Amino acid sequence: MTSKLAALERWVNEVAAQTRPAKIHWCDGSDAEYQALVQQMLQTGDLIELNQQTHPGCYLHRSNPSDVARVEHLTFVCTKHEEDAGPNNHWMAPAEAHAKIDALFDGCMQGRTMYVIPYCMGPIDSPLSRCGVEITDSPYVVANMRTMTRMGAAALARIEREGHFVKGLHSTGELDPERRFIMHFPEELTIKSYGSGYGGNALLGKKCHALRIASFQAQREGWLAEHMLIVGIENPQGQTHYIAAAFPSACGKTNLAMLIPPEGYRQNGWRVWTIGDDICWMRPGEDGRLYAINPEAGFFGVAPGTSASSNPNALTSISSDTIFTNVALTADNQPWWEGLPGTPVVDWQGRPYDPANGPAAHPNSRFTVRAKQCPTWSPKAEDAQGVPISAIVFGGRRPSLLPLVMEARDWAHGVLMGAAMGSETTAAATGAVGVLRRDSMAMKPFCGYHYGDYFAHWLSFDKPGAKLPKIFHVNWFRKGKDGKFLWPGFGENLRVLEWMIARVEGKARGAETPIGTLPATGELKLDGLDLPRETLAELLNLDASGWEMELHAIGEYLDSFGKRLPAQLRQEQQRVQQALHVP
Ligand code: GTP
Ligand code: MN
Ligand code: MN
């Protein structure tokens, strides 16, 4: 251990003195290490071997049934001043939070191995990347972190060079919901998570570091850490536009990131490139454009609904070397979830499948797989400079009112569209499902500071010399009177992206309305799609009285952020409200 790593070594020793593990293992990220962990977990039952003929290198993990999703009511942002965490976060004073969670960590690793995981979020040589170290007593976390991040020796070398890193301490604990906390100390670049083994609570590089801590750092340093996919759309002329899109959890980021073009588009030479499916870090480049990297190296995707028709790229990716969490099993030991052909025999809790017990796979069951296994994985995802972003897209599950697509007239209007985002809740977090909740920029659970300051930070990117992406809002989830989705979605969403790109390139005129620019008649290419003309009209209609109510609700929502809400955003909301009144 060199002197440059002394701070890390000191912290590891402190944690060991507190948690009293039987052994300390420094992870090197090697194949041999991974294989040894897998063997160990097969013995302890943490992993179950799946059918190795059909799914080589694939394993199943069953979490505790009380530990299957993120727990927002137990997630805290612990800034010195309560104001700084904002009404969008649960807050606890740092001293109180440390005391509370340290009491749980005392002696919690006795008899267990403590793993030290150095990791890098982003390409190892990128100036946009950031490093962290997670200490955990969970081999399942180690295996998943190896897939999801650049983990091991190279990350440790970068930490040694830079001398700083985000500290994350995790213990599975007793999995008692009464003894479970996920605490963030952004001012100390520290995370402490106890009592959960679930992905978003336990893989600290992901939501805790790459979103909550990173968003806080990004505000101070002039960049953005967002809950966005990054996808490249290559047109038949070979030009690629990169698009970043923020949708709340379980609203289609992974699907859009791996989109398969409709038949006609494929024949014409359109291609889709996957850069990231969940998190995007962006900063202005020298040319004034925003450049983005995906800080992750893998996908932690929702399994149910992933099928040969909805997301064949994901299905191909997870046919080998994948860890499944809380899926069901078929008679011949293949992973199964709702949406796949075949029949479940064992449910996610390991019981014989009985429909009376609910779905066979947990609705938030997941797969963890290396991004490189995705057939559409882009080599640009490894580019240290990142990719230039042409368009930013916001969207959510809105059964009514919100049109299929609209474009903001400028950056401030786009920030309003993002701030006003709402969605029906899903199974990705505990709580009621199907309730409309505002989820600005899909960051409600992940913004590590006051939303008012966050909106101001977004607005601040609009300055002289900036060549900002256009901002759009989409809604794949509009429903008709029969309760069915009006838009076919999935691969067909490329038609909407094509219109956006035409707008970016100045090749589509669009139709201006008070709520934004919509596709003009005939601009959305629908050939080969069986979409009745009335359905398209419904998808793009503007219900003025509905929008007045919506703008009123947005105004009230914005006011809930008090003095820290930038006046410019409230003015923007009033501008749209007034525009709606003008006949
Ligand atoms: P996290 O990974 O939790 O952040 O969520 P995500 O945004 O990646 O969600 P994901 O892509 O896994 O969304 C899955 C759900 O969205 C499934 O229920 C899909 O059926 C549904 N979905 C995705 N794209 C579309 C679409 O274009 N239309 C419709 N109707 N449903 C879609
Ligand atoms: Mn997510
Ligand atoms: Mn996803």
PDB file of all heavy atoms in Angstrom, residues 127-130 209-210 213-226 280-284 290-291 293 295 449 457-458 461:
ATOM      1  N   PRO A 127     -11.956  11.920 -18.269  1.00  0.00           N
ATOM      2  CA  PRO A 127     -11.969  12.993 -17.275  1.00  0.00           C
ATOM      3  C   PRO A 127     -13.350  13.163 -16.633  1.00  0.00           C
ATOM      4  O   PRO A 127     -13.460  13.759 -15.574  1.00  0.00           O
ATOM      5  CB  PRO A 127     -11.599  14.241 -18.092  1.00  0.00           C
ATOM      6  CG  PRO A 127     -11.836  13.879 -19.519  1.00  0.00           C
ATOM      7  CD  PRO A 127     -11.670  12.405 -19.629  1.00  0.00           C
ATOM      8  N   LEU A 128     -14.391  12.640 -17.276  1.00  0.00           N
ATOM      9  CA  LEU A 128     -15.737  12.755 -16.709  1.00  0.00           C
ATOM     10  C   LEU A 128     -16.015  11.680 -15.654  1.00  0.00           C
ATOM     11  O   LEU A 128     -16.990  11.768 -14.922  1.00  0.00           O
ATOM     12  CB  LEU A 128     -16.802  12.652 -17.813  1.00  0.00           C
ATOM     13  CG  LEU A 128     -17.019  13.883 -18.688  1.00  0.00           C
ATOM     14  CD1 LEU A 128     -15.937  14.009 -19.734  1.00  0.00           C
ATOM     15  CD2 LEU A 128     -18.372  13.854 -19.357  1.00  0.00           C
ATOM     16  N   SER A 129     -15.173  10.644 -15.589  1.00  0.00           N
ATOM     17  CA  SER A 129     -15.424   9.527 -14.674  1.00  0.00           C
ATOM     18  C   SER A 129     -15.082   9.909 -13.239  1.00  0.00           C
ATOM     19  O   SER A 129     -14.328  10.851 -12.986  1.00  0.00           O
ATOM     20  CB  SER A 129     -14.610   8.310 -15.099  1.00  0.00           C
ATOM     21  OG  SER A 129     -14.971   7.923 -16.403  1.00  0.00           O
ATOM     22  N   ARG A 130     -15.650   9.154 -12.308  1.00  0.00           N
ATOM     23  CA  ARG A 130     -15.395   9.362 -10.884  1.00  0.00           C
ATOM     24  C   ARG A 130     -15.248   7.991 -10.209  1.00  0.00           C
ATOM     25  O   ARG A 130     -15.966   7.059 -10.559  1.00  0.00           O
ATOM     26  CB  ARG A 130     -16.565  10.099 -10.216  1.00  0.00           C
ATOM     27  CG  ARG A 130     -16.708  11.557 -10.629  1.00  0.00           C
ATOM     28  CD  ARG A 130     -15.632  12.421  -9.975  1.00  0.00           C
ATOM     29  NE  ARG A 130     -15.853  13.838 -10.200  1.00  0.00           N
ATOM     30  CZ  ARG A 130     -15.507  14.485 -11.297  1.00  0.00           C
ATOM     31  NH1 ARG A 130     -14.930  13.846 -12.302  1.00  0.00           N
ATOM     32  NH2 ARG A 130     -15.731  15.782 -11.407  1.00  0.00           N
ATOM     33  N   HIS A 209     -24.255   6.569  -5.514  1.00  0.00           N
ATOM     34  CA  HIS A 209     -23.115   7.361  -5.965  1.00  0.00           C
ATOM     35  C   HIS A 209     -23.420   8.092  -7.268  1.00  0.00           C
ATOM     36  O   HIS A 209     -23.386   9.316  -7.316  1.00  0.00           O
ATOM     37  CB  HIS A 209     -21.882   6.444  -6.124  1.00  0.00           C
ATOM     38  CG  HIS A 209     -20.665   7.169  -6.651  1.00  0.00           C
ATOM     39  ND1 HIS A 209     -19.402   6.623  -6.647  1.00  0.00           N
ATOM     40  CD2 HIS A 209     -20.515   8.392  -7.228  1.00  0.00           C
ATOM     41  CE1 HIS A 209     -18.545   7.483  -7.154  1.00  0.00           C
ATOM     42  NE2 HIS A 209     -19.194   8.560  -7.537  1.00  0.00           N
ATOM     43  N   ALA A 210     -23.748   7.318  -8.331  1.00  0.00           N
ATOM     44  CA  ALA A 210     -23.807   7.921  -9.676  1.00  0.00           C
ATOM     45  C   ALA A 210     -24.968   8.895  -9.828  1.00  0.00           C
ATOM     46  O   ALA A 210     -24.985   9.691 -10.763  1.00  0.00           O
ATOM     47  CB  ALA A 210     -23.882   6.831 -10.742  1.00  0.00           C
ATOM     48  N   ILE A 213     -25.048  11.282  -4.913  1.00  0.00           N
ATOM     49  CA  ILE A 213     -23.803  12.000  -4.603  1.00  0.00           C
ATOM     50  C   ILE A 213     -23.323  12.774  -5.835  1.00  0.00           C
ATOM     51  O   ILE A 213     -22.928  13.937  -5.745  1.00  0.00           O
ATOM     52  CB  ILE A 213     -22.705  11.015  -4.115  1.00  0.00           C
ATOM     53  CG1 ILE A 213     -23.147  10.298  -2.835  1.00  0.00           C
ATOM     54  CG2 ILE A 213     -21.373  11.750  -3.939  1.00  0.00           C
ATOM     55  CD1 ILE A 213     -23.122  11.095  -1.563  1.00  0.00           C
ATOM     56  N   ALA A 214     -23.384  12.130  -7.002  1.00  0.00           N
ATOM     57  CA  ALA A 214     -22.867  12.777  -8.216  1.00  0.00           C
ATOM     58  C   ALA A 214     -23.679  14.018  -8.583  1.00  0.00           C
ATOM     59  O   ALA A 214     -23.112  15.017  -9.029  1.00  0.00           O
ATOM     60  CB  ALA A 214     -22.847  11.794  -9.384  1.00  0.00           C
ATOM     61  N   SER A 215     -25.014  13.986  -8.383  1.00  0.00           N
ATOM     62  CA  SER A 215     -25.804  15.178  -8.737  1.00  0.00           C
ATOM     63  C   SER A 215     -25.362  16.349  -7.867  1.00  0.00           C
ATOM     64  O   SER A 215     -25.273  17.489  -8.338  1.00  0.00           O
ATOM     65  CB  SER A 215     -27.305  14.908  -8.592  1.00  0.00           C
ATOM     66  OG  SER A 215     -27.644  14.585  -7.258  1.00  0.00           O
ATOM     67  N   PHE A 216     -25.061  16.086  -6.615  1.00  0.00           N
ATOM     68  CA  PHE A 216     -24.582  17.120  -5.691  1.00  0.00           C
ATOM     69  C   PHE A 216     -23.226  17.669  -6.162  1.00  0.00           C
ATOM     70  O   PHE A 216     -23.025  18.878  -6.252  1.00  0.00           O
ATOM     71  CB  PHE A 216     -24.472  16.494  -4.294  1.00  0.00           C
ATOM     72  CG  PHE A 216     -23.998  17.433  -3.223  1.00  0.00           C
ATOM     73  CD1 PHE A 216     -24.907  18.125  -2.435  1.00  0.00           C
ATOM     74  CD2 PHE A 216     -22.635  17.615  -2.971  1.00  0.00           C
ATOM     75  CE1 PHE A 216     -24.479  18.977  -1.432  1.00  0.00           C
ATOM     76  CE2 PHE A 216     -22.195  18.464  -1.969  1.00  0.00           C
ATOM     77  CZ  PHE A 216     -23.121  19.155  -1.203  1.00  0.00           C
ATOM     78  N   GLN A 217     -22.310  16.751  -6.509  1.00  0.00           N
ATOM     79  CA  GLN A 217     -20.993  17.176  -7.023  1.00  0.00           C
ATOM     80  C   GLN A 217     -21.159  17.951  -8.323  1.00  0.00           C
ATOM     81  O   GLN A 217     -20.482  18.947  -8.558  1.00  0.00           O
ATOM     82  CB  GLN A 217     -20.120  15.947  -7.322  1.00  0.00           C
ATOM     83  CG  GLN A 217     -19.516  15.282  -6.114  1.00  0.00           C
ATOM     84  CD  GLN A 217     -18.630  14.117  -6.571  1.00  0.00           C
ATOM     85  OE1 GLN A 217     -19.110  13.178  -7.198  1.00  0.00           O
ATOM     86  NE2 GLN A 217     -17.340  14.181  -6.255  1.00  0.00           N
ATOM     87  N   ALA A 218     -22.039  17.454  -9.178  1.00  0.00           N
ATOM     88  CA  ALA A 218     -22.229  18.055 -10.505  1.00  0.00           C
ATOM     89  C   ALA A 218     -22.692  19.500 -10.378  1.00  0.00           C
ATOM     90  O   ALA A 218     -22.277  20.368 -11.146  1.00  0.00           O
ATOM     91  CB  ALA A 218     -23.239  17.233 -11.309  1.00  0.00           C
ATOM     92  N   GLN A 219     -23.560  19.767  -9.403  1.00  0.00           N
ATOM     93  CA  GLN A 219     -24.043  21.137  -9.224  1.00  0.00           C
ATOM     94  C   GLN A 219     -22.871  22.051  -8.863  1.00  0.00           C
ATOM     95  O   GLN A 219     -22.771  23.166  -9.339  1.00  0.00           O
ATOM     96  CB  GLN A 219     -25.122  21.190  -8.142  1.00  0.00           C
ATOM     97  CG  GLN A 219     -25.813  22.548  -8.103  1.00  0.00           C
ATOM     98  CD  GLN A 219     -25.918  23.122  -6.700  1.00  0.00           C
ATOM     99  OE1 GLN A 219     -25.305  22.616  -5.760  1.00  0.00           O
ATOM    100  NE2 GLN A 219     -26.689  24.176  -6.572  1.00  0.00           N
ATOM    101  N   ARG A 220     -21.979  21.549  -8.011  1.00  0.00           N
ATOM    102  CA  ARG A 220     -20.842  22.382  -7.598  1.00  0.00           C
ATOM    103  C   ARG A 220     -19.836  22.566  -8.721  1.00  0.00           C
ATOM    104  O   ARG A 220     -19.138  23.562  -8.786  1.00  0.00           O
ATOM    105  CB  ARG A 220     -20.154  21.739  -6.406  1.00  0.00           C
ATOM    106  CG  ARG A 220     -21.113  21.618  -5.239  1.00  0.00           C
ATOM    107  CD  ARG A 220     -20.381  21.420  -3.951  1.00  0.00           C
ATOM    108  NE  ARG A 220     -21.285  21.794  -2.839  1.00  0.00           N
ATOM    109  CZ  ARG A 220     -20.938  21.760  -1.575  1.00  0.00           C
ATOM    110  NH1 ARG A 220     -19.726  21.388  -1.229  1.00  0.00           N
ATOM    111  NH2 ARG A 220     -21.785  22.112  -0.637  1.00  0.00           N
ATOM    112  N   GLU A 221     -19.732  21.537  -9.593  1.00  0.00           N
ATOM    113  CA  GLU A 221     -18.659  21.534 -10.593  1.00  0.00           C
ATOM    114  C   GLU A 221     -19.145  21.885 -11.999  1.00  0.00           C
ATOM    115  O   GLU A 221     -18.349  21.886 -12.934  1.00  0.00           O
ATOM    116  CB  GLU A 221     -17.968  20.161 -10.601  1.00  0.00           C
ATOM    117  CG  GLU A 221     -17.328  19.807  -9.256  1.00  0.00           C
ATOM    118  CD  GLU A 221     -16.869  18.350  -9.191  1.00  0.00           C
ATOM    119  OE1 GLU A 221     -16.910  17.653 -10.226  1.00  0.00           O
ATOM    120  OE2 GLU A 221     -16.482  17.915  -8.085  1.00  0.00           O
ATOM    121  N   GLY A 222     -20.427  22.132 -12.170  1.00  0.00           N
ATOM    122  CA  GLY A 222     -20.912  22.582 -13.474  1.00  0.00           C
ATOM    123  C   GLY A 222     -21.227  21.492 -14.480  1.00  0.00           C
ATOM    124  O   GLY A 222     -21.111  21.690 -15.684  1.00  0.00           O
ATOM    125  N   TRP A 223     -21.659  20.326 -14.000  1.00  0.00           N
ATOM    126  CA  TRP A 223     -22.107  19.285 -14.927  1.00  0.00           C
ATOM    127  C   TRP A 223     -23.428  18.702 -14.450  1.00  0.00           C
ATOM    128  O   TRP A 223     -24.024  19.224 -13.505  1.00  0.00           O
ATOM    129  CB  TRP A 223     -21.030  18.215 -15.150  1.00  0.00           C
ATOM    130  CG  TRP A 223     -20.379  17.613 -13.924  1.00  0.00           C
ATOM    131  CD1 TRP A 223     -19.463  18.213 -13.123  1.00  0.00           C
ATOM    132  CD2 TRP A 223     -20.588  16.297 -13.378  1.00  0.00           C
ATOM    133  NE1 TRP A 223     -19.071  17.343 -12.106  1.00  0.00           N
ATOM    134  CE2 TRP A 223     -19.743  16.165 -12.247  1.00  0.00           C
ATOM    135  CE3 TRP A 223     -21.375  15.200 -13.747  1.00  0.00           C
ATOM    136  CZ2 TRP A 223     -19.687  14.993 -11.470  1.00  0.00           C
ATOM    137  CZ3 TRP A 223     -21.310  14.036 -12.985  1.00  0.00           C
ATOM    138  CH2 TRP A 223     -20.476  13.937 -11.862  1.00  0.00           C
ATOM    139  N   LEU A 224     -23.915  17.665 -15.127  1.00  0.00           N
ATOM    140  CA  LEU A 224     -25.214  17.079 -14.804  1.00  0.00           C
ATOM    141  C   LEU A 224     -25.093  15.574 -14.605  1.00  0.00           C
ATOM    142  O   LEU A 224     -24.439  14.898 -15.399  1.00  0.00           O
ATOM    143  CB  LEU A 224     -26.214  17.336 -15.944  1.00  0.00           C
ATOM    144  CG  LEU A 224     -26.704  18.773 -16.154  1.00  0.00           C
ATOM    145  CD1 LEU A 224     -27.376  18.909 -17.530  1.00  0.00           C
ATOM    146  CD2 LEU A 224     -27.673  19.186 -15.056  1.00  0.00           C
ATOM    147  N   ALA A 225     -25.679  15.069 -13.545  1.00  0.00           N
ATOM    148  CA  ALA A 225     -25.761  13.613 -13.322  1.00  0.00           C
ATOM    149  C   ALA A 225     -27.233  13.255 -13.363  1.00  0.00           C
ATOM    150  O   ALA A 225     -27.992  13.676 -12.495  1.00  0.00           O
ATOM    151  CB  ALA A 225     -25.156  13.247 -11.971  1.00  0.00           C
ATOM    152  N   GLU A 226     -27.659  12.523 -14.377  1.00  0.00           N
ATOM    153  CA  GLU A 226     -29.083  12.356 -14.652  1.00  0.00           C
ATOM    154  C   GLU A 226     -29.520  10.897 -14.773  1.00  0.00           C
ATOM    155  O   GLU A 226     -28.732  10.031 -15.148  1.00  0.00           O
ATOM    156  CB  GLU A 226     -29.439  13.100 -15.947  1.00  0.00           C
ATOM    157  CG  GLU A 226     -29.175  14.594 -15.885  1.00  0.00           C
ATOM    158  CD  GLU A 226     -30.003  15.301 -14.820  1.00  0.00           C
ATOM    159  OE1 GLU A 226     -31.159  14.899 -14.583  1.00  0.00           O
ATOM    160  OE2 GLU A 226     -29.487  16.259 -14.216  1.00  0.00           O
ATOM    161  N   CYS A 280     -26.739   8.965 -16.928  1.00  0.00           N
ATOM    162  CA  CYS A 280     -25.996   9.759 -17.903  1.00  0.00           C
ATOM    163  C   CYS A 280     -25.310  10.911 -17.173  1.00  0.00           C
ATOM    164  O   CYS A 280     -25.960  11.621 -16.407  1.00  0.00           O
ATOM    165  CB  CYS A 280     -27.013  10.278 -18.933  1.00  0.00           C
ATOM    166  SG  CYS A 280     -26.430  11.615 -19.970  1.00  0.00           S
ATOM    167  N   TRP A 281     -24.017  11.050 -17.386  1.00  0.00           N
ATOM    168  CA  TRP A 281     -23.287  12.209 -16.860  1.00  0.00           C
ATOM    169  C   TRP A 281     -22.911  13.079 -18.051  1.00  0.00           C
ATOM    170  O   TRP A 281     -22.282  12.608 -19.009  1.00  0.00           O
ATOM    171  CB  TRP A 281     -22.002  11.760 -16.130  1.00  0.00           C
ATOM    172  CG  TRP A 281     -22.256  11.116 -14.783  1.00  0.00           C
ATOM    173  CD1 TRP A 281     -23.458  10.949 -14.154  1.00  0.00           C
ATOM    174  CD2 TRP A 281     -21.260  10.552 -13.910  1.00  0.00           C
ATOM    175  NE1 TRP A 281     -23.265  10.319 -12.938  1.00  0.00           N
ATOM    176  CE2 TRP A 281     -21.933  10.066 -12.767  1.00  0.00           C
ATOM    177  CE3 TRP A 281     -19.864  10.421 -13.979  1.00  0.00           C
ATOM    178  CZ2 TRP A 281     -21.269   9.456 -11.704  1.00  0.00           C
ATOM    179  CZ3 TRP A 281     -19.198   9.802 -12.929  1.00  0.00           C
ATOM    180  CH2 TRP A 281     -19.893   9.331 -11.798  1.00  0.00           C
ATOM    181  N   MET A 282     -23.285  14.370 -17.984  1.00  0.00           N
ATOM    182  CA  MET A 282     -23.067  15.266 -19.123  1.00  0.00           C
ATOM    183  C   MET A 282     -22.334  16.522 -18.682  1.00  0.00           C
ATOM    184  O   MET A 282     -22.599  17.043 -17.596  1.00  0.00           O
ATOM    185  CB  MET A 282     -24.419  15.751 -19.671  1.00  0.00           C
ATOM    186  CG  MET A 282     -25.205  14.741 -20.421  1.00  0.00           C
ATOM    187  SD  MET A 282     -26.719  15.484 -21.098  1.00  0.00           S
ATOM    188  CE  MET A 282     -27.803  15.462 -19.681  1.00  0.00           C
ATOM    189  N   ARG A 283     -21.476  16.997 -19.573  1.00  0.00           N
ATOM    190  CA  ARG A 283     -20.887  18.317 -19.314  1.00  0.00           C
ATOM    191  C   ARG A 283     -20.607  19.046 -20.621  1.00  0.00           C
ATOM    192  O   ARG A 283     -20.424  18.409 -21.664  1.00  0.00           O
ATOM    193  CB  ARG A 283     -19.623  18.204 -18.469  1.00  0.00           C
ATOM    194  CG  ARG A 283     -18.411  17.636 -19.176  1.00  0.00           C
ATOM    195  CD  ARG A 283     -17.164  17.983 -18.394  1.00  0.00           C
ATOM    196  NE  ARG A 283     -17.180  17.399 -17.048  1.00  0.00           N
ATOM    197  CZ  ARG A 283     -16.611  17.962 -15.984  1.00  0.00           C
ATOM    198  NH1 ARG A 283     -16.022  19.113 -16.099  1.00  0.00           N
ATOM    199  NH2 ARG A 283     -16.631  17.355 -14.828  1.00  0.00           N
ATOM    200  N   PRO A 284     -20.600  20.392 -20.588  1.00  0.00           N
ATOM    201  CA  PRO A 284     -20.345  21.138 -21.820  1.00  0.00           C
ATOM    202  C   PRO A 284     -18.917  20.901 -22.304  1.00  0.00           C
ATOM    203  O   PRO A 284     -17.970  20.924 -21.506  1.00  0.00           O
ATOM    204  CB  PRO A 284     -20.533  22.600 -21.401  1.00  0.00           C
ATOM    205  CG  PRO A 284     -21.249  22.569 -20.084  1.00  0.00           C
ATOM    206  CD  PRO A 284     -20.863  21.285 -19.440  1.00  0.00           C
ATOM    207  N   LEU A 290     -23.209  19.613 -25.245  1.00  0.00           N
ATOM    208  CA  LEU A 290     -23.135  18.745 -24.069  1.00  0.00           C
ATOM    209  C   LEU A 290     -22.590  17.385 -24.488  1.00  0.00           C
ATOM    210  O   LEU A 290     -23.062  16.793 -25.458  1.00  0.00           O
ATOM    211  CB  LEU A 290     -24.520  18.563 -23.441  1.00  0.00           C
ATOM    212  CG  LEU A 290     -25.128  19.731 -22.665  1.00  0.00           C
ATOM    213  CD1 LEU A 290     -26.468  19.305 -22.055  1.00  0.00           C
ATOM    214  CD2 LEU A 290     -24.191  20.225 -21.562  1.00  0.00           C
ATOM    215  N   TYR A 291     -21.588  16.889 -23.744  1.00  0.00           N
ATOM    216  CA  TYR A 291     -21.012  15.563 -23.999  1.00  0.00           C
ATOM    217  C   TYR A 291     -21.373  14.631 -22.856  1.00  0.00           C
ATOM    218  O   TYR A 291     -21.314  15.027 -21.680  1.00  0.00           O
ATOM    219  CB  TYR A 291     -19.499  15.655 -24.169  1.00  0.00           C
ATOM    220  CG  TYR A 291     -19.144  16.218 -25.535  1.00  0.00           C
ATOM    221  CD1 TYR A 291     -19.204  17.587 -25.781  1.00  0.00           C
ATOM    222  CD2 TYR A 291     -18.817  15.371 -26.585  1.00  0.00           C
ATOM    223  CE1 TYR A 291     -18.934  18.101 -27.037  1.00  0.00           C
ATOM    224  CE2 TYR A 291     -18.533  15.870 -27.845  1.00  0.00           C
ATOM    225  CZ  TYR A 291     -18.596  17.233 -28.068  1.00  0.00           C
ATOM    226  OH  TYR A 291     -18.345  17.730 -29.316  1.00  0.00           O
ATOM    227  N   ILE A 293     -21.330  10.670 -20.912  1.00  0.00           N
ATOM    228  CA  ILE A 293     -20.861   9.288 -20.729  1.00  0.00           C
ATOM    229  C   ILE A 293     -21.906   8.522 -19.925  1.00  0.00           C
ATOM    230  O   ILE A 293     -22.694   9.105 -19.178  1.00  0.00           O
ATOM    231  CB  ILE A 293     -19.501   9.181 -19.987  1.00  0.00           C
ATOM    232  CG1 ILE A 293     -19.588   9.796 -18.574  1.00  0.00           C
ATOM    233  CG2 ILE A 293     -18.388   9.807 -20.806  1.00  0.00           C
ATOM    234  CD1 ILE A 293     -18.435   9.377 -17.653  1.00  0.00           C
ATOM    235  N   PRO A 295     -21.909   6.228 -16.894  1.00  0.00           N
ATOM    236  CA  PRO A 295     -20.959   5.844 -15.851  1.00  0.00           C
ATOM    237  C   PRO A 295     -20.956   4.344 -15.549  1.00  0.00           C
ATOM    238  O   PRO A 295     -20.043   3.855 -14.887  1.00  0.00           O
ATOM    239  CB  PRO A 295     -21.412   6.657 -14.630  1.00  0.00           C
ATOM    240  CG  PRO A 295     -22.837   7.012 -14.901  1.00  0.00           C
ATOM    241  CD  PRO A 295     -22.990   7.079 -16.393  1.00  0.00           C
ATOM    242  N   TYR A 449     -29.929  16.901  -3.697  1.00  0.00           N
ATOM    243  CA  TYR A 449     -30.019  18.228  -3.101  1.00  0.00           C
ATOM    244  C   TYR A 449     -31.370  18.858  -3.439  1.00  0.00           C
ATOM    245  O   TYR A 449     -32.203  18.222  -4.099  1.00  0.00           O
ATOM    246  CB  TYR A 449     -28.840  19.099  -3.525  1.00  0.00           C
ATOM    247  CG  TYR A 449     -28.715  19.388  -5.024  1.00  0.00           C
ATOM    248  CD1 TYR A 449     -29.057  20.628  -5.536  1.00  0.00           C
ATOM    249  CD2 TYR A 449     -28.251  18.415  -5.904  1.00  0.00           C
ATOM    250  CE1 TYR A 449     -28.929  20.910  -6.886  1.00  0.00           C
ATOM    251  CE2 TYR A 449     -28.126  18.694  -7.263  1.00  0.00           C
ATOM    252  CZ  TYR A 449     -28.470  19.941  -7.748  1.00  0.00           C
ATOM    253  OH  TYR A 449     -28.348  20.209  -9.080  1.00  0.00           O
ATOM    254  N   HIS A 457     -29.844  25.047 -11.454  1.00  0.00           N
ATOM    255  CA  HIS A 457     -28.634  24.514 -12.087  1.00  0.00           C
ATOM    256  C   HIS A 457     -28.908  24.157 -13.551  1.00  0.00           C
ATOM    257  O   HIS A 457     -28.127  24.494 -14.444  1.00  0.00           O
ATOM    258  CB  HIS A 457     -28.159  23.297 -11.297  1.00  0.00           C
ATOM    259  CG  HIS A 457     -26.891  22.693 -11.811  1.00  0.00           C
ATOM    260  ND1 HIS A 457     -25.764  23.449 -12.072  1.00  0.00           N
ATOM    261  CD2 HIS A 457     -26.565  21.410 -12.133  1.00  0.00           C
ATOM    262  CE1 HIS A 457     -24.813  22.650 -12.528  1.00  0.00           C
ATOM    263  NE2 HIS A 457     -25.275  21.411 -12.582  1.00  0.00           N
ATOM    264  N   TRP A 458     -30.036  23.513 -13.810  1.00  0.00           N
ATOM    265  CA  TRP A 458     -30.414  23.195 -15.192  1.00  0.00           C
ATOM    266  C   TRP A 458     -30.505  24.471 -16.026  1.00  0.00           C
ATOM    267  O   TRP A 458     -29.964  24.540 -17.135  1.00  0.00           O
ATOM    268  CB  TRP A 458     -31.766  22.454 -15.209  1.00  0.00           C
ATOM    269  CG  TRP A 458     -31.627  20.965 -15.309  1.00  0.00           C
ATOM    270  CD1 TRP A 458     -31.462  20.086 -14.267  1.00  0.00           C
ATOM    271  CD2 TRP A 458     -31.633  20.170 -16.503  1.00  0.00           C
ATOM    272  NE1 TRP A 458     -31.372  18.804 -14.747  1.00  0.00           N
ATOM    273  CE2 TRP A 458     -31.476  18.819 -16.111  1.00  0.00           C
ATOM    274  CE3 TRP A 458     -31.764  20.465 -17.857  1.00  0.00           C
ATOM    275  CZ2 TRP A 458     -31.432  17.773 -17.042  1.00  0.00           C
ATOM    276  CZ3 TRP A 458     -31.717  19.418 -18.781  1.00  0.00           C
ATOM    277  CH2 TRP A 458     -31.550  18.092 -18.368  1.00  0.00           C
ATOM    278  N   PHE A 461     -27.322  26.313 -17.625  1.00  0.00           N
ATOM    279  CA  PHE A 461     -26.550  25.853 -18.790  1.00  0.00           C
ATOM    280  C   PHE A 461     -26.803  26.720 -20.023  1.00  0.00           C
ATOM    281  O   PHE A 461     -26.036  26.688 -20.984  1.00  0.00           O
ATOM    282  CB  PHE A 461     -26.869  24.381 -19.096  1.00  0.00           C
ATOM    283  CG  PHE A 461     -26.175  23.455 -18.145  1.00  0.00           C
ATOM    284  CD1 PHE A 461     -26.717  23.192 -16.891  1.00  0.00           C
ATOM    285  CD2 PHE A 461     -24.944  22.893 -18.471  1.00  0.00           C
ATOM    286  CE1 PHE A 461     -26.058  22.379 -15.993  1.00  0.00           C
ATOM    287  CE2 PHE A 461     -24.286  22.078 -17.579  1.00  0.00           C
ATOM    288  CZ  PHE A 461     -24.844  21.824 -16.326  1.00  0.00           C
TER     289      PHE A 461
END
